[in-house]
């Protein structure tokens, strides 16, 4: 501490170290943040059901997505990545997930919405197992914090059935 | 900056960083603004740097009491003569203090 250079060095080192500890405390404070988002998913209509040239089933449907994610935002939340996935079971694969729609919510003010939309990404099976099968729609939300680890939560809506033809 | 000043500067630096971290954390949490927390911490760090890095006069309040210089035993007779002349004066001064 006898020279300017040494004092500057100590100050910078200490400042960065304290900042790191500060950020870890901010990340820790997220554990005390309770969130209760409201999500509602429904299938309004099955618009098309076709077999692709390769032999895979493809479905086009219209979804009603209404959600309020504003309670998920804490002081340490940068943005949310949300997506709706169709999940079903086939004889070949136990887990099948197809992402149908996604969005990025950048602020609390835009976290409440209700939209009717055709699926953004095509709902295609690896084969032709979709006819007459049951499927779930699941809303996933990845929470991206400013500091700390990312985490994912989900809400499952079950009991949807595709037509047989 | 003397020994006491260096000790003071180091302790002041540690306490000021800790204080600005605590103040910024609770203010940011209260106002739910990460940006506010960073701004307060940055200004606290700047203030701490301004207080502890320059050699301010209050770091030199208690200067070191150096011992009086002693003449080295030198081979040159001229230096010995000079030491003989100066030594009594210096000795009397230090006694008065």
């Amino acid at each position: 501490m006898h020279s300017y250079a040494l004092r500057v060095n100590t100050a910078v080192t200490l400042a960065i170290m304290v900042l790191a500890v500060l950020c870890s405390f901010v990340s820790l404070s997220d554990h005390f943040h309770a969130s209760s988002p409201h999500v509602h998913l429904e299938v309004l209509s099955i618009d098309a059901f076709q077999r692709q040239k390769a032999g895979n089933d493809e479905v086009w449907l219209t979804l009603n997505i209404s959600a309020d994610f504003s309670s998920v935002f804490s002081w340490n939340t940068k943005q949310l990545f949300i997506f709706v996935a169709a999940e079903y079971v086939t004889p070949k694969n136990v887990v099948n997930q197809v992402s149908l729609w996604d969005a990025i919510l950048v602020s609390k003010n835009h976290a409440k919405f209700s939209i009717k939309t055709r699926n953004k990404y095509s709902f295609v099976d690896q084969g032709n197992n979709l006819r007459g099968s049951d499927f779930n729609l699941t809303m996933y939300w990845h929470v991206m914090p400013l500091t700390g680890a990312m985490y994912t939560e989900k809400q499952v809506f079950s009991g949807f059935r595709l037509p047989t033809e | 900056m003397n020994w006491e000043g260096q000790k003071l500067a180091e302790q002041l630096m540690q306490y000021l960083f800790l204080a600005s971290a605590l103040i910024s954390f609770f203010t940011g949490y209260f106002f739910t603004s990460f940006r506010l927390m960073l701004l307060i911490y940055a200004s606290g760090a700047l203030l701490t740097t301004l207080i502890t890095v320059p050699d301010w006069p209050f770091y030199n309040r208690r200067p070191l009491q150096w011992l009086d210089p002693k003449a080295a035993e030198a081979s040159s007779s001229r230096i010995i003569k000079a030491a003989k002349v100066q030594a009594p004066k210096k000795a009397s001064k230090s006694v008065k203090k």
Side-chain angles (χ1 to χ4, degrees), chain A residues 46-62:
Chain A
I46 309 285
D47 301 330
F49 206 147
Q50 61 192 35
R51 179 174 288 192
Q52 291 180 329
K53 278 182 182 174
N56 296 326
D57 277 345
E58 182 176 14
V59 183
W60 289 98
L61 31 80
T62 306

Side-chain angles (χ1 to χ4, degrees), chain A residues 2 7 11 15 18 22 75 146, chain B residues 1 17 21 28-29 34 41 52-53:
Chain A
H2 62 278
R7 286 196 293 273
V18 172
L22 194 61
W75 72 311
L146 291 162
Chain B
M1 198 181 276
F17 272 127
Y29 190 79
F34 191 84
Y41 183 69
T52 55
V53 170

